[in-house]
Amino acid sequence: MLKRTILLAIYLLVVCCATVQADELEHVRKLVAQYEQNGNRDTLALVLAARDVTFYNYGMVDSVLHYVPQDLERLRSYKKWKQYYEVWMYRINTYIYYNNQKTLALRDVQAMYQDAKERGNSYGMGIAYYAMGNVYVCMGSLDESADAYMKGLDILMSVNPLPPVIPELYSSYGDVLNEQKRYKLLENLTLKWKSFLEVFIPQNKLTDVEKDIFWFYYDIACVQAALGQDDGQRAEQMLQEARKHIPLNFDILEKAWLTNMTQLRMKQGNYQEAYDLSNRRMDLVSPDEDKFAYIADIVQRAEILSHMGKYRETALLYKDLYQIIDSINRADTKSQLTEMNTIFEVDDLKMRQERAQFRLMMIIVGVIVLALVIFIIFRVRAARKLKKAHDQLQQTHEELLTAYDQLEETTAAKERIESDLRIARNIQMGMVPRTFPERPDLDLYASMTPAKEVGGDLYGYYLTGDKLYIALGDVSGKGVPASLFMAQATRLFRTLAAQELMPADIATQINEALSGEDNETSMFVTMFLGLIDLRTGHLDFCNAGHNPPVLLKDGKAEFIEMIPNAPIGLWPGLPYEGEEIANITNQPLFVYTDGLNEAENRQQQQFTDERLLEIMETRPFESCQQTVELLRDEVEKHRDGAEPNDDLTMICVKVVKENN
């Protein structure tokens, strides 16, 4: 009876939101009042959550922002934590998808995670990571988004019963991996995804439409993984499966299927069929409703037409593309640049970069379109009079001269920016120690290789008497903003180590300094902090969300098992927990950033943790410097000419004691 009542309540909510807007809030108010009078908190919690999700789904932003705060208070007093965290996520998604308030959304999701962590609520922490991934996607931070989605999945998969939000989280994580072109990881994800659906669907009373939607997005992820790895047969098979799972009149699924089928036909060289599929896809997309989907369709269509030799049509599509991008830029670019400049606190340098990049992009687009026009002119010149052709070529020559002048100006600006970045790199490299102690009881060596001109990794040490402090960290993001955050963390480590605090206390105080209101970018740093007594080999350490170090003992390399403290800089007031190892004498300790184990080659294959352990076990240890330089060379060989995808920083330390 209760379930039937709840379903009726949700149905009435949907109906009232489809009526005249002047009446809908009154209907909702009466419905909520009815269940308040009944005094059934279980039912009321579901009705409140259903009301808020309905407002969100219909884009009623004012209603979401008005009702969610009071609903959160009420659900918290009822201790209805499932609905509590779901309603909270609707507000976060409203900030990013409707209001474009990314910084506000990130702060809200951090508060949500901290709330769930303090309650020990796994569902809340998993939902918070899901919302965090959504925020990072909208901010363009795909690495951080993928990491958040992965953590959200790991947590929610341990919740019993399995939450209904997990299929959406799998789909979002898969989209990010596809965008990153990490196709092998995407393929591995689909294996876990399938196992989950085979358990989840039988456990829940789902409609046939719901089952089809869940399987459709799984099928499409398999297609994307296969296309990325040039497995046309697998992609064809999964596209046929996906086709079976498209419910009637579900245009959004039909569009996704057409996009991927078009991509497969292009890879197979069947451009005529790809063109026909593209026509069907574009019939379902309105540029007024979804400009970004329309842009993607234009790019795909232009590639098809160029392969078919239809250069005039290609040029016209590029013209449409330019106009759409220009309209988006006029609406969004100014506010976005202002927000980014405020966040990074490097207004002048950042604005010069943005202006130079924008001018360069416009010149490149202009040259492409111009080149296509020239080609068309030459193709039809036999049918034109010589004088007309001469006039057109003369005009083209003048336009090229103008473009050349603009390109020369942009190049000069780019060179100035690169000069500034070289200076910044020299300053940054000067912040980390380049010389190491020469003592008979200590072997220590470290190196840092930024992926860009400046990076966000850090390392340092502080030696006082027989006590050695070491630190290694990885700041979220890359480039200038990360380097500024890195400089603050490095300075704080040295200052606090000089006070001879324990590693956990150092982590706590650095977190307090970096997670205050001044951290408007919501950046964070993962860090490993260690204190070694050189007389006894005793190691005290604190790991703040960083990769586990490797300890080499009797020729066996193993990762150290550690307490999962949060990264530094996200939430103030966190107490960090420390750990200890009684004696690491004659056991090399190796600490690194994920620029090592996640280094990718041209096929997006990673270096992996397993390869790291294998190298440390099979190559004789000679010294800390030899170990660091060996692994740096192995990463370079693995990349095989590919551009580095992240900063690479390593530190190795060994307490030396002769055996009696």
Side-chain angles (χ1 to χ4, degrees):
M1 184 66 179
L2 174 61
K3 182 177 179 182
R4 188 180 304 169
T5 303
I6 295 168
L7 290 175
L8 175 61
I10 295 173
Y11 170 76
L12 290 174
L13 281 169
V14 175
V15 170
C16 79
C17 281
T19 61
V20 180
Q21 191 163 356
D23 299 331
E24 61 190 16
L25 292 180
E26 181 63 21
H27 284 296
V28 173
R29 188 190 65 77
K30 290 179 179 179
L31 188 62
V32 173
Q34 174 186 341
Y35 287 102
E36 284 176 331
Q37 292 175 359
N38 292 342
N40 189 324
R41 291 186 172 184
D42 291 336
T43 306
L44 182 58
L46 290 169
V47 171
L48 291 175
R51 175 184 65 181
D52 293 335
V53 73
T54 305
F55 289 157
Y56 170 74
N57 287 337
Y58 279 86
M60 299 169 63
V61 176
D62 292 340
S63 296
V64 172
L65 299 181
H66 173 76
Y67 281 98
V68 164
Q70 54 187 279
D71 289 348
L72 287 176
E73 290 292 334
R74 189 177 298 184
L75 291 169
R76 183 163 54 242
S77 67
Y78 295 166
K79 300 186 184 301
K80 299 299 179 182
W81 304 120
K82 182 177 182 297
Q83 291 79 26
Y84 173 70
Y85 291 113
E86 288 173 353
V87 166
W88 200 336
M89 187 170 73
Y90 302 148
R91 181 170 68 183
I92 294 168
N93 287 346
T94 299
Y95 286 147
I96 56 177
Y97 295 133
Y98 291 109
N99 284 8
N100 196 30
Q101 295 177 313
K102 305 181 192 68
T103 302
L104 184 59
L106 190 57
R107 291 192 181 280
D108 207 23
V109 79
Q110 290 166 352
M112 177 182 176
Y113 176 83
Q114 186 62 27
D115 181 278
K117 184 178 180 182
E118 290 174 355
R119 300 183 197 283
N121 190 295
S122 296
Y123 183 77
M125 288 189 288
I127 289 292
Y129 273 121
Y130 182 20
M132 185 181 296
N134 293 339
V135 177
Y136 279 130
V137 165
C138 292
M139 296 174 70
S141 302
L142 295 183
D143 290 342
E144 286 78 4
S145 174
D147 186 54
Y149 285 149
M150 180 180 65
K151 291 177 180 176
L153 271 177
D154 289 343
I155 294 173
L156 291 176
M157 288 293 289
S158 66
V159 175
N160 188 23
L162 293 170
V165 75
I166 292 181
E168 301 174 24
L169 185 48
Y170 267 113
S171 182
S172 298
Y173 187 23
D175 287 341
V176 170
L177 292 179
N178 182 57
E179 188 72 20
Q180 292 179 304
K181 299 182 179 180
R182 301 172 73 177
Y183 301 116
K184 189 61 181 177
L185 283 179
L186 179 57
E187 182 182 18
N188 293 338
L189 181 70
T190 60
L191 299 178
K192 298 178 183 178
W193 194 343
K194 182 179 182 181
S195 299
F196 161 76
L197 290 177
E198 289 174 342
V199 173
F200 176 78
I201 290 178
Q203 288 181 351
N204 294 270
K205 296 181 179 180
L206 304 175
T207 66
D208 289 340
V209 170
E210 289 172 327
K211 294 176 185 177
D212 281 335
I213 292 174
F214 287 158
W215 280 115
F216 175 84
Y217 283 113
Y218 158 77
D219 294 337
I220 290 298
C222 292
V223 172
Q224 292 168 339
L227 286 172
Q229 299 178 89
D230 294 323
D231 188 349
Q233 183 176 357
R234 170 68 172 166
E236 184 87 45
Q237 174 191 351
M238 295 311 300
L239 277 166
Q240 298 308 322
E241 287 296 316
R243 187 68 185 173
K244 299 175 186 176
H245 293 132
I246 301 178
L248 188 64
N249 297 325
F250 263 66
D251 285 352
I252 189 171
L253 303 190
E254 181 76 16
K255 288 185 285 189
W257 186 87
L258 287 169
T259 296
N260 287 276
M261 179 59 84
T262 303
Q263 196 65 28
L264 174 61
R265 293 296 179 250
M266 289 171 62
K267 279 184 171 289
Q268 294 171 337
N270 190 343
Y271 295 109
Q272 183 57 55
E273 187 174 348
Y275 180 75
D276 295 339
L277 290 165
S278 177
N279 282 338
R280 290 169 55 188
R281 158 79 184 181
M282 294 190 75
D283 287 342
L284 297 175
V285 178
S286 169
D288 296 327
E289 295 176 359
D290 192 343
K291 285 188 172 67
F292 293 102
Y294 193 67
I295 287 172
D297 289 338
I298 289 179
V299 172
Q300 189 181 62
R301 173 73 71 89
E303 184 179 354
I304 296 170
L305 290 172
S306 65
H307 281 289
M308 297 174 70
K310 297 183 178 182
Y311 301 106
R312 181 183 296 277
E313 291 89 338
T314 304
L316 292 174
L317 280 177
Y318 276 120
K319 181 179 178 182
D320 290 343
L321 177 63
Y322 176 84
Q323 292 174 343
I324 294 173
I325 292 175
D326 186 57
S327 68
I328 294 174
N329 284 336
R330 285 198 301 270
D332 298 339
T333 300
K334 184 175 180 180
S335 61
Q336 291 176 357
L337 286 176
T338 301
E339 179 183 4
M340 294 298 286
N341 289 332
T342 302
I343 288 173
F344 294 151
E345 298 180 356
V346 285
D347 294 350
D348 185 54
L349 176 60
K350 190 65 178 177
M351 283 297 292
R352 283 183 297 177
Q353 286 180 294
E354 294 293 341
R355 286 196 298 267
Q357 290 171 357
F358 180 78
R359 286 197 300 268
L360 185 58
M361 181 188 72
M362 290 299 99
I363 291 169
I364 291 172
V365 171
V367 170
I368 290 172
V369 174
L370 184 59
L372 289 169
V373 172
I374 295 171
F375 185 82
I376 294 168
I377 291 171
F378 278 105
R379 287 291 298 266
V380 300
R381 67 185 180 190
R384 297 177 181 269
K385 294 181 180 180
L386 182 59
K387 184 177 181 306
K388 185 176 181 180
H390 173 75
D391 293 341
Q392 289 174 331
L393 288 173
Q394 182 64 32
Q395 179 182 357
T396 300
H397 174 69
E398 293 173 357
E399 291 173 352
L400 283 172
L401 288 177
T402 301
Y404 176 80
D405 291 339
Q406 294 173 339
L407 182 59
E408 190 176 45
E409 178 184 350
T410 303
T411 301
K414 182 174 180 291
E415 289 174 352
R416 288 195 298 272
I417 292 171
E418 290 175 348
S419 174
D420 291 344
L421 289 175
R422 282 194 296 271
I423 294 172
R425 178 189 176 95
N426 292 336
I427 294 173
Q428 181 188 21
M429 296 305 291
M431 293 179 183
V432 296
R434 309 303 294 274
T435 59
F436 304 96
E438 295 183 2
R439 294 177 47 146
D441 58 348
L442 174 63
D443 184 5
L444 174 66
Y445 190 78
S447 78
M448 180 173 71
T449 308
K452 296 184 177 182
E453 288 82 356
V454 290
D457 282 4
L458 63 96
Y459 73 84
Y461 73 87
Y462 181 79
L463 182 61
T464 172
D466 291 321
K467 292 182 178 180
L468 172 69
Y469 287 87
I470 61 171
L472 185 142
D474 184 357
V475 178
S476 61
K478 302 178 181 67
V480 173
S483 71
L484 297 176
F485 202 79
M486 163 267 194
Q488 296 182 56
T490 303
R491 175 180 55 79
L492 289 167
F493 162 70
R494 291 174 180 167
T495 301
L496 296 170
Q499 300 175 24
E500 299 190 20
L501 301 179
M502 294 296 287
D505 295 329
I506 293 176
T508 300
Q509 293 203 31
I510 295 177
N511 181 65
E512 285 301 306
L514 296 182
S515 60
E517 294 182 357
D518 292 337
N519 185 13
E520 296 184 0
T521 65
S522 299
M523 298 186 75
F524 59 88
V525 56
T526 64
M527 288 188 76
F528 177 86
L529 296 155
L531 168 59
I532 305 174
D533 189 326
L534 300 181
R535 296 169 301 175
T536 63
H538 186 274
L539 169 66
D540 289 290
F541 66 92
C542 177
N543 185 66
H546 198 73
N547 299 329
V550 178
L551 193 63
L552 185 61
K553 182 178 181 181
D554 299 327
K556 181 68 174 177
E558 294 182 344
F559 293 113
I560 299 176
E561 295 185 3
M562 300 176 298
I563 296 172
N565 288 298
I568 291 172
L570 284 176
W571 304 286
L574 286 183
Y576 283 77
E577 298 184 53
E579 301 174 77
E580 61 180 343
I581 297 178
N583 190 353
I584 64 167
T585 300
N586 293 327
Q587 301 173 28
L589 175 69
F590 180 72
V591 193
Y592 57 95
T593 61
D594 53 17
L596 191 155
N597 58 325
E598 295 182 6
E600 295 181 347
N601 59 17
R602 297 180 183 182
Q603 291 75 42
Q604 286 82 48
Q605 297 170 327
Q606 294 191 347
F607 190 82
T608 74
D609 294 337
E610 292 75 17
R611 187 169 180 181
L612 167 60
L613 295 179
E614 178 188 0
I615 291 173
M616 293 195 68
E617 288 184 353
T618 57
R619 307 291 181 89
F621 178 87
E622 299 175 7
S623 68
C624 289
Q625 180 174 350
Q626 171 261 345
T627 298
V628 169
E629 292 178 347
L630 168 66
L631 286 165
R632 186 171 57 199
D633 292 342
E634 289 294 326
V635 168
E636 192 65 29
K637 291 178 185 177
H638 172 75
R639 286 201 188 102
D640 191 25
E643 288 292 325
N645 56 306
D646 204 349
D647 306 330
L648 171 60
T649 303
M650 299 171 281
I651 187 169
C652 185
V653 59
K654 178 183 177 183
V655 179
V656 181
K657 185 176 181 181
E658 298 294 335
N659 295 322
N660 294 328

